Amino acid sequence: RQAGFRIFGRAEVAIVDRTRALEIDEPGDLVVARSLAPLFERPEAIDIDALVTDFDGVHTDDRVSIGGDGMERITASRADGIGVDMLRKAGYPLLILSRETNRVVTARGRKLGVEVRQGVEVKAVVLAAWAKTRGIELSRIAYVGNDINDVGCMEIVGWPIAVADAHPEVLAVARVVLTQHGGHGAIREVAERILLAADKPSTSSPRSA
């Protein structure tokens, strides 16, 4: 027996859990197995000390409506709001970085109880300074982005994360690609995977307050 396999001559037989085993005798069985496989997959835990995110395209679906008064309006997910609340209560430092300066970002950050930095041209510089002030190593930070102006931040953190509908350049540098799109539960998915890691023993340094 080697690494979970039994060797019989030249054939290798994998030992699997009976509750996850499926018999595949014909092509139709393989189709069923592939359909069921995602239900058995456990998402990778995201072991970090702080979460930083873009706003447009991450907390929103990257669309904006403009009213007759000229004011911009966005749509946000309540599920994402709950995810942020879960992380705040667990003691994780949170930051929203936005290239744009917009009152809707300010209002959403206030609603979520999250620090917001707006009008940021070079996000990576601001992120690095924020981390240093907090005493958090960049390798222990997750950054969630969706577009090319997020690549700089993603390249300096330990956990670069892309929403499912991110730009190809963002997907290319991501360590994790989420199953949810921006504005449709992506932040909730990140929160749950971060808290999944928090439930496991860790040798990392404690989170900064």
Side-chain angles (χ1 to χ4, degrees):
R1 185 169 181 173
Q2 296 181 353
F5 289 83
R6 288 177 181 168
I7 312 301
F8 295 95
R10 298 180 61 184
E12 296 183 1
V13 179
I15 309 302
V16 299
D17 185 339
R18 288 183 180 181
T19 63
R20 300 164 63 91
L22 292 172
E23 290 188 10
I24 299 176
D25 299 317
E26 55 186 44
D29 296 335
L30 183 58
V31 173
V32 173
R34 285 174 173 166
S35 299
L36 293 175
L39 300 178
F40 292 106
E41 293 178 356
R42 186 174 177 83
E44 179 186 6
I46 298 173
D47 185 15
I48 53 95
D49 292 331
L51 175 65
V52 181
T53 74
D54 181 28
F55 186 76
D56 294 319
V58 174
H59 287 267
T60 77
D61 62 4
D62 216 18
R63 296 187 299 172
V64 62
S65 63
I66 302 176
D69 56 1
M71 295 297 297
E72 293 187 357
R73 294 172 175 81
I74 57 97
T75 300
S77 165
R78 291 190 184 277
D80 286 340
I82 293 173
V84 169
D85 188 56
M86 291 161 58
L87 291 176
R88 283 197 305 104
K89 289 179 177 177
Y92 287 90
L94 306 169
L95 174 67
I96 294 174
L97 279 179
S98 179
R99 187 173 182 178
E100 301 292 331
T101 301
N102 197 314
R103 280 188 282 181
V104 296
V105 183
T106 303
R108 186 58 178 164
R110 184 182 302 116
K111 172 74 173 180
L112 296 174
V114 176
E115 181 181 358
V116 175
R117 302 282 182 89
Q118 298 187 67
V120 178
E121 286 296 325
V122 185
K123 292 183 178 180
V125 172
V126 175
L127 170 55
W130 180 83
K132 184 176 181 179
T133 299
R134 289 274 185 168
I136 305 171
E137 296 180 7
L138 289 171
S139 62
R140 297 290 302 164
I141 293 177
Y143 182 91
V144 185
N146 77 301
D147 216 330
I148 54 176
N149 61 5
D150 295 312
V151 171
C153 287
M154 296 176 74
E155 290 178 333
I156 66 171
V157 299
W159 285 86
I161 300 173
V163 296
D165 54 338
H167 187 279
E169 290 187 31
V170 173
L171 296 174
V173 299
R175 176 174 176 177
V176 173
V177 177
L178 302 171
T179 63
Q180 301 299 320
H181 290 197
H184 292 277
I187 296 297
R188 176 64 174 270
E189 181 180 345
V190 171
E192 291 178 347
R193 292 174 67 170
I194 289 172
L195 294 174
L196 182 64
D199 289 337
K200 298 179 179 179
S202 175
T203 57
S204 63
S205 57
R207 294 189 297 276
S208 298

